[in-house]
Amino acid sequence: MDDRLKKQLDFALEIDKEKNIFRQTHLSGHGRNENDAEHAWHMAIMAYLLREYANEEVDIAKVMLMCLIHDIVEIDAGDTYAYDSVGLTTQKAREDAAKERIYSLLPEDQKAELIALFDEFEAYETPEARFAHSMDNLQPIMLNNSNGGADWREHGVSAEKVYARQSKTRLGSEKLFEVVDGIIRENIRKGNLTE
Amino acid sequence: MDDRLKKQLDFALEIDKEKNIFRQTHLSGHGRNENDAEHAWHMAIMAYLLREYANEEVDIAKVMLMCLIHDIVEIDAGDTYAYDSVGLTTQKAREDAAKERIYSLLPEDQKAELIALFDEFEAYETPEARFAHSMDNLQPIMLNNSNGGADWREHGVSAEKVYARQSKTRLGSEKLFEVVDGIIRENIRKGNLTE
């Protein structure tokens, strides 16, 4: 087997480990914790189906690929819960080291391409990055809402913190932010989020 | 919320159930059984990274979407193991009923689009369908090989049956069929596949 193909297959096998990185979000039906690969799969399909609500025109193939790869760094860096203020301070350094190690398994051109795509996602500066982030926010709030806000209750999360995160959903889609806003208001009313 | 968006979100929540459909394949590192959502995520990324090996030019966005949605019907129909000869006789009828129920949650245009994409995948007639099937075959054999062929040993699978299935990998990619062929030969030699 030539070196290029071997590298691509080594990377393909390595990312299998993303299925063992578990998040704070639980599956619908009061299921188990969700893992990063499932979350990414769900986001990519949602991005495709909801692309008409993006604020700006997006290259949907690019958004989908961004969704699929955005958590690969967590194989080494672990999942950082959106409301874990301590973990958030070291997240960038942990993810930078992970990015270098994992994407270096690929041939140089594909390493450069996927790192650029991940960096674009992180930077929030393009329509694709903004819409992918809207999915990253909408997907777990949808699951959590289907479970009666159980993930928020478990961590005593405040409405203010959820709004701080979800304000960025608005950058990708005003329409989907309305959905999120409705979910947050309902969960405040029900006492699932502290005020 | 308008009816169209409500339908799209109802579908998005419904497909969360795909994360509970477990396959015979085990994760690398002798891990637990893999589920359909993880398998689809893995296939979509592999399709993107390995697209240069497709026998024919493919619309890679279409291939990726095909990979992502190809097992949604299994939410109702369950996973049918590639070497379960009894289950295979009823697979089509079970999947047709599932397809109608699940995709009917979507607005009509998106229902029609995703059913057409699923049917195209099943029909093996386009370059995209053939390459997506190559991924559907390569991804589990890669994991199983990483675990010393344990899934084959558990089910007493013969090399003949693996070749019958993997012969279709060749329709999508001669180059990746060479990889698969090498894996099968090695596992025959090691006694993980019966001759």
Side-chain angles (χ1 to χ4, degrees):
Chain A
M1 194 188 311
D2 66 47
D3 186 55
R4 178 173 176 84
L5 178 52
K6 186 178 179 311
K7 283 183 170 176
Q8 291 163 323
L9 293 174
D10 284 349
F11 178 84
L13 185 59
E14 178 68 16
I15 64 171
D16 188 60
K17 295 177 183 166
E18 189 173 321
K19 302 166 192 169
N20 295 316
I21 307 298
F22 285 89
R23 299 163 46 81
Q24 294 299 324
T25 309
H26 290 76
L27 301 187
S28 61
H30 296 278
R32 60 169 167 78
N33 288 67
E34 182 183 50
N35 66 57
D36 275 350
E38 297 168 326
H39 162 63
W41 166 82
H42 210 164
M43 278 171 63
I45 297 181
M46 289 175 69
Y48 185 79
L49 292 173
L50 301 172
R51 66 196 185 283
E52 69 200 71
Y53 306 113
N55 288 343
E56 302 155 279
E57 198 168 315
V58 292
D59 172 345
I60 193 62
K62 188 175 179 180
V63 174
M64 288 167 67
L65 189 61
M66 216 178 241
C67 290
L68 292 173
I69 66 131
H70 82 291
D71 273 342
I72 285 177
V73 293
E74 296 193 357
I75 289 171
D76 287 356
D79 178 55
T80 307
Y81 186 46
Y83 307 112
D84 168 6
S85 49
V86 177
L88 290 169
T89 61
T90 61
Q91 183 177 13
K92 177 84 170 63
R94 282 181 287 119
E95 294 192 349
D96 280 350
K99 180 173 78 173
E100 183 57 28
R101 183 193 73 79
I102 301 168
Y103 288 116
S104 292
L105 296 171
L106 283 170
E108 277 301 326
D109 61 317
Q110 292 191 320
K111 171 187 174 183
E113 182 192 356
L114 291 202
I115 284 184
L117 193 68
F118 175 73
D119 288 346
E120 181 179 335
F121 173 77
E122 292 286 293
Y124 270 105
E125 284 169 1
T126 59
E128 286 78 15
R130 286 191 281 261
F131 193 59
H133 273 287
S134 298
M135 295 305 111
D136 200 19
N137 290 341
L138 176 63
Q139 188 268 347
I141 208 174
M142 174 184 80
L143 291 190
N144 187 17
N145 183 53
S146 80
N147 287 327
D151 297 327
W152 289 324
R153 289 203 310 276
E154 184 183 333
H155 296 276
V157 175
S158 70
E160 186 187 11
K161 286 199 168 175
V162 177
Y163 271 121
R165 178 186 171 110
Q166 293 285 349
S167 64
K168 294 195 169 173
T169 303
R170 188 168 217 161
L171 301 178
S173 173
E174 286 286 344
K175 181 83 173 176
L176 297 176
F177 178 73
E178 284 174 25
V179 173
V180 162
D181 187 40
I183 290 174
I184 297 173
R185 285 170 194 272
E186 188 187 337
N187 281 277
I188 293 173
R189 204 162 51 239
K190 290 180 175 169
N192 299 325
L193 282 167
T194 60
E195 280 199 78
Chain B
M1 194 190 310
D2 66 46
D3 186 54
R4 179 173 175 83
L5 178 52
K6 186 178 178 313
K7 284 182 170 175
Q8 291 163 323
L9 293 174
D10 284 349
F11 177 84
L13 185 58
E14 179 68 17
I15 64 170
D16 188 58
K17 295 175 183 167
E18 190 173 319
K19 302 166 192 168
N20 296 316
I21 307 299
F22 286 88
R23 298 164 47 81
Q24 295 299 325
T25 309
H26 291 76
L27 302 187
S28 61
H30 297 276
R32 60 168 167 78
N33 288 70
E34 181 182 49
N35 68 56
D36 274 351
E38 296 168 327
H39 164 63
W41 165 82
H42 211 164
M43 277 171 64
I45 296 180
M46 288 174 69
Y48 185 79
L49 292 173
L50 300 173
R51 67 196 185 283
E52 69 200 71
Y53 305 114
N55 289 342
E56 302 156 279
E57 198 168 314
V58 293
D59 172 346
I60 193 62
K62 189 176 181 182
V63 174
M64 288 168 68
L65 189 61
M66 217 176 240
C67 290
L68 292 173
I69 66 132
H70 82 290
D71 274 341
I72 285 177
V73 293
E74 296 192 358
I75 289 171
D76 287 356
D79 178 55
T80 306
Y81 186 45
Y83 308 111
D84 168 7
S85 50
V86 178
L88 289 169
T89 63
T90 62
Q91 183 178 15
K92 175 85 169 65
R94 284 182 285 118
E95 294 192 350
D96 280 350
K99 181 173 77 173
E100 183 58 30
R101 183 192 75 77
I102 301 168
Y103 288 115
S104 292
L105 295 171
L106 282 170
E108 276 301 326
D109 61 316
Q110 292 192 322
K111 171 187 173 182
E113 183 192 355
L114 290 202
I115 284 184
L117 193 68
F118 174 73
D119 288 345
E120 181 178 334
F121 173 76
E122 292 286 293
Y124 271 104
E125 284 169 0
T126 59
E128 286 77 15
R130 287 191 279 262
F131 192 60
H133 274 287
S134 297
M135 296 304 113
D136 200 18
N137 290 341
L138 175 63
Q139 188 267 347
I141 208 174
M142 174 184 78
L143 291 190
N144 187 18
N145 183 54
S146 80
N147 288 325
D151 297 329
W152 288 323
R153 287 203 311 273
E154 184 183 334
H155 296 277
V157 175
S158 70
E160 187 188 11
K161 285 199 168 177
V162 176
Y163 271 121
R165 178 187 171 110
Q166 294 284 350
S167 63
K168 293 194 169 173
T169 302
R170 188 166 217 163
L171 301 178
S173 172
E174 286 286 343
K175 180 85 174 176
L176 297 177
F177 178 74
E178 285 174 25
V179 173
V180 161
D181 187 39
I183 290 174
I184 297 173
R185 285 172 193 272
E186 187 187 336
N187 281 276
I188 292 173
R189 202 164 50 238
K190 290 181 176 168
N192 298 325
L193 283 168
T194 60
E195 281 198 76

